[in-house]
Amino acid sequence: MIITYKVNEHQLDRAKMLYPFDALNGSITKGEGNLYGALAEVVVHDHFRAKGHDIDYQGNYDYDIIIDGHKVDVKAKHIKVTPKPYHNAGIVDWNINQECDYYFFAFTKKDLSEVYLLGYMGKEEFYNKATFNKKGEEDWNGWKFKANTYNVKVEALHSFAQ
């Protein structure tokens, strides 16, 4: 089940402070996606803190947050529409060596008004279930992959507790 969060100004301000640099190394969007990803991290942090979990923000290459001792990397992309179960939750192939336990997937609305928590999957399970798409291949809707990417459908993710 997808959880929708309305973004508040405090969350947006915190997200803007997370990544003051121009672009992550290897960024497909050349840094354009930094704020979308940072906002997703802030919302994940707030969601799990509100549920009483032990949260420690890390923000390094391998993982973004430690939740109850588990290393979590938040994978986010921006989207113009409400996410559907058949949309892809993906990881580009240069991230396969990240030393994390779980991937948490989120979509951030392009206008930054909402973040959708899509679900999660353990790293090993993700790569066992993922489909590999090469750069330039077309997705189901005609969109072309900008990088080699491993994908699972949103409907295959484990749901977050409400």
Side-chain angles (χ1 to χ4, degrees):
M1 173 178 228
I2 297 170
I3 301 171
T4 304
Y5 272 92
K6 299 284 185 195
V7 174
N8 63 48
E9 285 300 315
H10 180 63
Q11 289 170 319
L12 190 54
D13 289 344
R14 287 168 41 218
K16 288 176 182 176
M17 293 172 41
L18 280 181
Y19 297 107
F21 48 83
D22 290 333
L24 291 168
N25 189 23
S27 173
I28 294 172
T29 61
K30 308 293 185 232
E32 187 179 304
N34 287 5
L35 186 55
Y36 299 110
L39 189 55
E41 290 174 24
V42 166
V43 169
V44 166
H45 179 278
D46 291 355
H47 175 79
F48 283 89
R49 176 147 334 256
K51 299 281 182 208
H53 294 274
D54 183 32
I55 307 287
D56 183 23
Y57 182 77
Q58 296 293 304
N60 63 50
Y61 169 77
D62 289 312
Y63 48 92
D64 301 307
I65 302 170
I66 297 176
I67 301 176
D68 296 333
H70 300 286
K71 299 171 188 169
V72 173
D73 196 57
V74 178
K75 297 296 184 188
K77 61 182 175 182
H78 64 275
I79 191 167
K80 295 177 185 175
V81 298
T82 302
K84 303 291 184 213
Y86 53 82
H87 284 150
N88 287 323
I91 299 173
V92 293
D93 71 345
W94 61 74
N95 285 335
I96 63 173
N97 294 319
Q98 287 178 289
E99 294 183 22
C100 60
D101 302 315
Y102 291 95
Y103 293 118
F104 284 13
F105 295 92
F107 288 168
T108 301
K109 200 164 186 182
K110 187 133 174 113
D111 67 4
L112 303 171
S113 64
E114 294 178 328
V115 171
Y116 306 96
L117 300 185
L118 306 174
Y120 69 95
M121 195 169 279
K123 181 181 175 179
E124 185 176 340
E125 180 185 6
F126 177 84
Y127 290 108
N128 285 334
K129 291 184 175 181
T131 301
F132 182 75
N133 297 100
K134 289 185 177 184
K135 179 180 180 178
E137 281 183 0
E138 281 192 19
D139 199 3
W140 58 270
N141 62 357
W143 181 84
K144 291 187 180 184
F145 289 94
K146 296 183 181 358
N148 293 339
T149 309
Y150 291 89
N151 291 290
V152 297
K153 298 297 181 198
V154 169
E155 64 193 357
L157 298 174
H158 304 288
S159 296
F160 295 114
Q162 291 270 354

